[in-house]
Amino acid sequence: MSMSQGQGRNRHGLIRSPQNLAAGLSLLFLAGLALWLTRDLPQGRLSAMGPGMLPDWLAYGVGLCGLALLAAAFLKDGEPLEAWSLRGPFFVVLAILAFAVTIRPFSLGPVNLPGLGMIVAGPLAIVIGGYAAPEARFRQLLVLALGLTPFCMVLFGDLLNLPIPIFPQSLAGLLPDTWSQKTILRGLAAILVAAAVLVHLSGGRRKTGPIDVATQPEEV
């Protein structure tokens, strides 16, 4: 055990695990932010869930995890705070805000954004949130976004029948009237999956040059 680890354990002050304290406060903040952003969404019932039920219950779960970490911070010895950057929390919060202001029409003073639906808000939030990891690469995030979004579209809009905006309503006016909302949803989901496969295949394989045997370590 290193000296820093030894110093981080067996604390006898009021806060016995500063790392758990910071994590608990962060989760409580995220839960509160999610509940505030979804406050206008109808809850519905279990038999007919509204668009606000799932994100609200997820927010309650995140909040309970935050409370558990807070309790552990005062009851159990843990690690001290380490040096950390604001990169992760910044991009996660930015992704949540981007999703909230693009999935439905949003107005704030002179700013007016049209509702773009999940087909735009989903990939946007996934790509932005992915940059919370320092090793994130745009093409990999794009493949993930184009592959995960149609799954969410079919799950929430088709199978669960949740009234979540899937695509811009202006798009529906450009398509034949005989096409139903679910037909359009399934067609767009198939297009996104095809796009994910094309982007993935367009990356190609890494070029591997010949191995220089002169630089190989000597055998013992």
Side-chain angles (χ1 to χ4, degrees), residues 50-189:
M53 177 175 286
L54 183 60
D56 279 5
W57 280 104
L58 287 176
Y60 289 133
V62 171
L64 288 176
C65 291
L67 290 176
L69 286 173
L70 277 183
F74 294 97
L75 299 176
K76 185 178 179 182
D77 293 330
E79 301 293 338
L81 281 178
E82 299 178 355
W84 57 289
S85 69
L86 294 175
R87 180 190 180 101
F90 172 77
F91 280 103
V92 170
V93 173
L94 185 63
I96 296 173
L97 292 176
F99 185 87
V101 301
T102 55
I103 192 170
R104 292 178 180 276
F106 176 79
S107 297
L108 181 62
V111 179
N112 294 297
L113 299 177
L116 300 176
M118 186 176 289
I119 194 172
V120 175
L124 183 64
I126 293 172
V127 171
I128 294 176
Y131 278 103
E135 64 274 10
R137 299 292 182 269
F138 176 73
R139 193 177 66 82
Q140 297 172 346
L141 292 177
L142 185 60
V143 172
L144 176 64
L146 294 175
L148 187 59
T149 300
F151 170 77
C152 296
M153 291 167 56
V154 173
L155 175 63
F156 296 118
D158 194 349
L159 300 179
L160 297 179
N161 282 321
L162 295 181
I164 296 178
I166 299 297
F167 48 83
Q169 287 304 308
S170 57
L171 178 63
L174 302 176
L175 300 175
D177 296 336
T178 55
W179 292 12
S180 66
Q181 294 283 319
K182 288 194 174 182
T183 301
I184 301 174
L185 183 156
R186 294 165 186 168
L188 292 175

Side-chain angles (χ1 to χ4, degrees), residues 29-49:
F29 170 76
L30 289 176
L33 179 63
L35 291 174
W36 179 73
L37 291 174
T38 60
R39 65 190 184 283
D40 295 330
L41 298 178
Q43 293 289 314
R45 304 182 304 275
L46 287 178
S47 57
M49 292 189 294

